[in-house]
Amino acid sequence: MVRCFALLFVLGCVNKPVCLQSSSCGAEQEERGAPQGAASCGCEKLKRDAPAAVDPVEDRTASVDPAVRYSRGANKRSSEAQADERKVQSKMVLISGGEFLMGTDNPGIPADGEGPQRLVHVDSFYMDVQEVTNRQFQSFVNATGHVTEAEKFGDSFVFEGILSEAVKNQITQAVAAAPWWLPVKGANWRHPEGPDSHITDRLDHPVLHVSWADAVAYCSWANKRLPTEAEWEHACRGGLKDRLYPWGNKLNPKGQHYANLWQGDFPNHNSGEDGYIKTSPVMSFPPNGFGLYDMVGNAWEWTSDWWTVHHTTDEQHNPKGPTSGTDKVKKGGSYMCHKSYCYRYRCAARSQNTPDSSASNLGFRCVSQEQQ
Ligand SMILES: *[C@@H]1O[C@H](CO)[C@@H](O)[C@H](O)[C@H]1NC(C)=O
Ligand SMILES: [Ca+2]
Ligand SMILES: [Ca+2]
């Protein structure tokens, strides 16, 4: 039976939460009882089916702490292989700690909990200058045999506008309220638009279709970790105070594009004025003041924080977000973001997905406390 996409998906790129309900899911939902959140259409999540949908034998990441499973020590590899892996790892830069103003008092999307603006202190850390690429993720998978959640589930969400006709024609589950997101069988990091696509011509693009756990597993293997939201936002701001974007307040200073976003009429027409209608090779746009590339645009980036829209104005030191939750925070927006639908390519902007979500516009980068 076709696995039902239980319904809820955060359009990372839609101002108003929209319920994505698979039209073919009705019968199955009823068998399983009321679908969570459907009544309120609280559709902030791309929500997978119950974990039972995953073969427990295959679900290796769930039972073993990824930090143990994928630590360098746990994987016996030749020093030559390890040297090769280091070569493909991202360069990191030191992000000096200190106080910064997190969030904004002029929220572009108030419902996202962008405010209030608050004083936050973060300690120094190192950050990947780039989003983790397909090549880097491949080197991790080669070394560890990691199987991503999208591969285990057998499908992932892909933006309709980048699918081939052949793949589109095979999709029977129409998504009612936001037809541009389609659950595609066989879509995963190796096949970003489904079985007839591949990554050999985009090894330097951000890896996509990775769940939160996949991202954590990669960073742990590399002796790194995901950034907290506060670290990510401090890094995004690049030393500027109270600005919208990593480079300032103007979207296109001097007519130049500073990020891979959407130009045109979402979701029907992407003019690709910035050079890319899908992802771009990492580091194709100018870095911010800290030397970080693609902090906004290209791929959304997972952070380690659980999602909440309520923030204290008391000064925080190294805040890590709530201790539990249902969704993880993602930052930065993607190549699908346009002001009309997804004004989320700002440092203060934020969105969320369930940790097992994966999609054709969601990736990550890692940080570490020590220099690698
Ligand atoms: C991973 O393994 C495949 C198959 O051996 C190889 O072609 C590829 O170059 C490897 N990738 C990396 C990044 O080491
Ligand atoms: Ca673009
Ligand atoms: Ca990004």
Side-chain angles (χ1 to χ4, degrees):
M1 184 177 214
V2 177
R3 185 169 64 74
C4 174
F5 271 83
L7 339 179
L8 307 175
F9 181 72
V10 162
L11 282 175
C13 273
V14 171
N15 284 346
K16 201 163 46 161
V18 178
C19 189
L20 299 192
Q21 179 157 0
S22 298
S23 58
S24 66
C25 289
E28 197 171 351
Q29 282 160 26
E30 275 157 35
E31 278 165 31
R32 293 181 180 179
Q36 275 187 346
S40 62
C41 193
C43 307
E44 282 87 355
K45 319 165 179 82
L46 180 158
K47 195 168 181 304
R48 293 273 186 195
D49 252 346
V54 182
D55 179 347
V57 178
E58 297 247 310
D59 188 15
R60 300 177 305 169
T61 50
S63 51
V64 183
D65 179 356
V68 175
R69 180 176 172 82
Y70 298 109
S71 69
R72 287 194 181 281
N75 294 288
K76 294 192 191 71
R77 278 167 285 121
S78 71
S79 54
E80 198 179 307
Q82 289 184 21
D84 284 350
E85 281 153 18
R86 270 194 296 276
K87 258 187 284 177
V88 303
Q89 286 281 315
S90 173
K91 192 175 154 236
M92 301 185 92
V93 288
L94 177 65
I95 309 298
S96 295
E99 280 177 345
F100 79 104
L101 286 170
M102 185 166 175
T104 174
D105 287 330
N106 296 299
I109 306 174
D112 284 352
E114 295 177 11
Q117 190 176 63
R118 55 218 184 260
L119 203 56
V120 165
H121 174 99
V122 291
D123 292 339
S124 296
F125 61 96
Y126 291 86
M127 188 174 224
D128 289 352
V129 297
Q130 57 179 77
E131 296 153 331
V132 171
T133 61
N134 286 317
R135 178 180 282 109
Q136 290 166 345
F137 200 79
Q138 189 181 62
S139 120
F140 157 65
V141 168
N142 283 2
T144 63
H146 181 83
V147 179
T148 61
E149 291 198 88
E151 289 168 289
K152 290 181 212 161
F153 281 115
D155 49 42
S156 190
F157 278 96
V158 183
F159 172 54
E160 194 229 6
I162 60 177
L163 283 175
S164 69
E165 288 302 319
V167 168
K168 262 190 275 190
N169 290 339
Q170 285 170 11
I171 294 170
T172 52
Q173 292 173 304
V175 181
W180 52 87
W181 280 115
L182 295 179
V184 174
K185 276 202 198 337
N188 59 52
W189 73 276
R190 300 173 200 271
H191 304 288
E193 291 95 40
D196 63 353
S197 64
H198 57 78
I199 55 168
T200 50
D201 58 348
R202 38 183 148 155
L203 287 169
D204 293 328
H205 289 228
V207 64
L208 304 172
H209 299 292
V210 282
S211 70
W212 186 84
D214 297 328
V216 168
Y218 175 94
C219 293
S220 302
W221 168 77
N223 275 337
K224 303 179 188 178
R225 60 179 172 80
L226 285 178
T228 65
E229 182 181 7
E231 287 170 334
W232 192 99
E233 188 167 327
H234 172 53
C236 181
R237 293 180 179 282
L240 300 176
K241 197 173 151 194
D242 203 19
R243 294 291 192 276
L244 293 172
Y245 310 117
W247 55 88
N249 274 337
K250 275 200 171 137
L251 182 58
N252 302 122
K254 301 199 170 96
Q256 297 299 302
H257 289 283
Y258 277 68
N260 182 4
L261 303 172
W262 181 292
Q263 294 86 39
D265 178 20
F266 186 87
N268 299 315
H269 178 66
N270 187 344
S271 74
E273 189 188 285
D274 60 18
Y276 304 94
I277 59 166
K278 299 194 283 187
T279 55
S280 40
V282 297
M283 307 195 282
S284 297
F285 294 85
N288 75 359
F290 290 160
L292 302 167
Y293 296 81
D294 304 300
M295 288 301 283
V296 300
N298 214 14
W300 277 99
E301 300 176 24
W302 288 112
T303 74
S304 57
D305 290 25
W306 289 109
W307 172 262
T308 178
V309 295
H310 304 291
H311 314 290
T312 176
T313 49
D314 296 344
E315 186 175 348
Q316 299 285 296
H317 281 250
N318 301 312
K320 293 182 164 53
T323 52
S324 63
T326 56
D327 294 344
K328 290 289 183 178
V329 177
K330 62 179 183 180
K331 295 284 276 186
S334 79
Y335 66 91
M336 286 174 61
C337 282
H338 182 270
K339 191 163 184 181
S340 65
Y341 269 86
C342 173
Y343 185 36
R344 292 197 173 90
Y345 41 89
R346 292 168 291 114
C347 293
R350 53 208 299 276
S351 190
Q352 87 270 38
N353 279 117
T354 58
D356 61 0
S357 302
S358 61
S360 58
N361 65 350
L362 177 51
F364 68 103
R365 79 179 69 204
C366 312
V367 300
S368 69
Q369 225 56 50
E370 305 87 33
Q371 191 152 23
Q372 296 296 306

